[in-house]
Amino acid sequence: ETGVTQTPRHLVMGMTNKKSLKCEQHLGHNAMYWYKQSAKKPLELMFVYSLEERVENNSVPSRFSPECPNSSHLFLHLHTLQPEDSALYLCASSPEKTGGTDTQYFGPGTRLTVL
Amino acid sequence: GENVEQHPSTLSVQEGDSAVIKCTYSDSASNYFPWYKQELGKGPQLIIDIRSNVGEKKDQRIAVTLNKTAKHFSLHITETQPEDSAVYFCAASQGGTSYGKLTFGQGTILTVHP
């Protein structure tokens, strides 16, 4: 639909597990983003990658570890999460052509539940 | 940093009525204001945006207005239809970077009753 795909769509994990979220964009964009969407809270920007380089890390705990091996793929590695980390994790991408005012295109998200 | 306040948090209208959602922002340097619609089970999708050099923009039944002096912007949906029911988010971009840095409002749950 938007050209941004995310897998898995749903994930349930225990606090001691290690899992990874995957995002892929088919739009030829240069910037990719991870957002956290919790109930009754605004979308929170977690990480930004521009041309495969991490340019933003908004005080995210180290139990979240992003990886951007190329401009089309973005991962979020998860380990020893807490129940309060349960949320919808959204990936987005943008072309990076108009100095920070590009449209961001979102994937459908991964619904994460930490038990 | 930027702070975006969005009101109301829920909005219920009858089909055919108009709906208005309002947002205020704090950083006068913000220059890009997109609106996103999020349907159940989907990610947010851009429906309209406005830049700081424009006061109003329309796209069929949707319009956005921007008042830079007062630092607020609004989404107007006319002739609402049941398929307009969704969560709507406003956002502001602080600019100053090559990539986007959006700050989102809390969201408005719009329900259109047939």
Side-chain angles (χ1 to χ4, degrees), chain B residues 28-97:
Chain B
S28 57
S30 289
N31 56 8
Y32 175 61
F33 307 92
W35 285 89
Y36 284 85
K37 175 183 180 182
Q38 187 174 23
E39 297 174 313
L40 201 62
K42 296 184 178 181
Q45 293 200 355
L46 180 79
I47 55 171
I48 195 167
D49 57 14
I50 192 167
R51 299 175 193 276
S52 59
N53 58 348
V54 175
E56 182 176 1
K57 184 177 178 180
K58 291 181 84 171
D59 182 4
Q60 299 183 331
R61 297 186 297 108
I62 294 173
V64 58
T65 58
L66 171 65
N67 184 326
K68 286 177 58 181
T69 303
K71 288 189 280 189
H72 66 72
F73 56 113
S74 301
L75 177 71
H76 304 254
I77 305 174
T78 58
E79 301 172 27
T80 53
Q81 301 166 3
E83 51 265 38
D84 293 329
S85 297
V87 183
Y88 291 81
F89 293 96
C90 64
S93 174
Q94 293 109 309
T97 55

Side-chain angles (χ1 to χ4, degrees), chain A residues 9 33 37 56 96 101 104, chain B residues 36 38 41 51 98-100:
Chain A
R9 294 293 310 276
Y33 311 77
Q37 186 175 31
E56 288 280 340
E96 236 187 348
T101 62
Q104 292 186 25
Chain B
Y36 284 85
Q38 187 174 23
R51 299 175 193 276
S98 60
Y99 52 90

